[in-house]
Amino acid sequence: HASESDDHTAFLRAQFSDVRTAMVTLFVLMSSPNLPDYIAHDGLLQDRPGLLGFLISFILLGSFGMMALLTGVISESMFEKNRIRQEEMRKEHENLLEGIGGRAEDIYLSLASETGEARKNDLIKSAVPQIEEIFEEAGVDFTHGCLVELVELMDS
C-alpha cells in the first residue's frame, strides 16, 4: 500500500486502484510494454524494487505467453485445415475407386455374358479400349502397350 505522503500515490492509484483497472493496466503493459511511463516518475521504480521486478517479469512472461498462445492458435488452425484437406482427398479417392470399380464390374458382366466359345484373354483384350477410357478419366498414368502386356500375362 502506498501512503498518502508518497509522491507516486496518485499515479499508482490511477493504474491499480481496483481489480478491473489493474487488469487493464497489466494487459496494456503486456501487449505494449511501456516502462518509460513508470521511469518518468522519479524514484517510483528505484524505491520499489519489488514493483520493478514484478513489471519486468510480467512483461517477459506475458510476452512469451502471448507469443506461445498466438503460435499455438496458428499451428492448430494449420493442422485443422490439413486434416480437413486430407479427409476431402480421402473421400475423393474413395469416390474415384468406387467409380472405377463400378465401371470395371460393368465390363466384367458384359464379358461374362459373351463367354461362349471365345477365350477369356481374347474377351479381355476386346475390353482394353474401355479399360483405357476408365484409366484416362481417373488420371492413371499408363501406356497402351503396358495394358495389353498386362492382359497377356493374366491366366486364362
Side-chain angles (χ1 to χ4, degrees):
H1 260 325
S3 65
E4 294 300 324
S5 63
D6 191 351
D7 295 338
H8 308 292
T9 302
F11 175 76
L12 291 173
R13 284 212 173 125
Q15 301 295 321
F16 302 100
S17 61
D18 57 37
V19 173
R20 187 180 77 68
T21 306
M23 288 177 67
V24 170
T25 298
L26 291 174
F27 178 76
V28 169
L29 189 62
M30 179 178 55
S31 61
S32 60
N34 197 7
L35 278 181
D37 286 351
Y38 294 87
I39 294 170
H41 293 273
D42 274 343
L44 174 66
L45 298 178
Q46 293 83 353
D47 294 343
R48 295 174 177 80
L51 177 62
L52 177 62
F54 171 75
L55 293 176
I56 290 172
S57 300
F58 187 81
I59 290 170
L60 288 175
L61 295 176
S63 297
F64 284 122
M66 195 67 82
M67 292 269 272
L69 179 68
L70 291 175
T71 303
V73 167
I74 291 169
S75 296
E76 182 62 30
S77 174
M78 288 173 44
F79 286 135
E80 182 66 19
K81 284 181 183 178
N82 188 36
R83 188 190 63 73
I84 290 170
R85 193 179 98 248
Q86 286 178 338
E87 183 66 22
E88 288 172 355
M89 287 175 57
R90 185 189 62 76
K91 286 180 182 177
E92 285 177 25
H93 186 72
E94 283 179 4
N95 290 340
L96 179 66
L97 289 177
E98 207 172 278
I100 290 173
R103 293 195 51 201
E105 184 177 5
D106 292 344
I107 293 171
Y108 174 78
L109 292 175
S110 71
L111 291 177
S113 65
E114 300 175 14
T115 56
E117 296 186 21
R119 287 185 20 191
K120 289 182 184 178
N121 276 359
D122 293 336
L123 287 173
I124 294 173
K125 283 180 189 176
S126 70
V128 166
Q130 293 171 306
I131 297 169
E132 285 178 336
E133 183 181 325
I134 293 172
F135 282 3
E136 286 172 359
E137 288 175 8
V140 176
D141 189 24
F142 71 98
T143 63
H144 175 77
C146 287
L147 194 55
V148 170
E149 187 178 328
L150 178 67
V151 169
E152 289 174 358
L153 292 174
M154 288 181 176
D155 290 336
S156 310

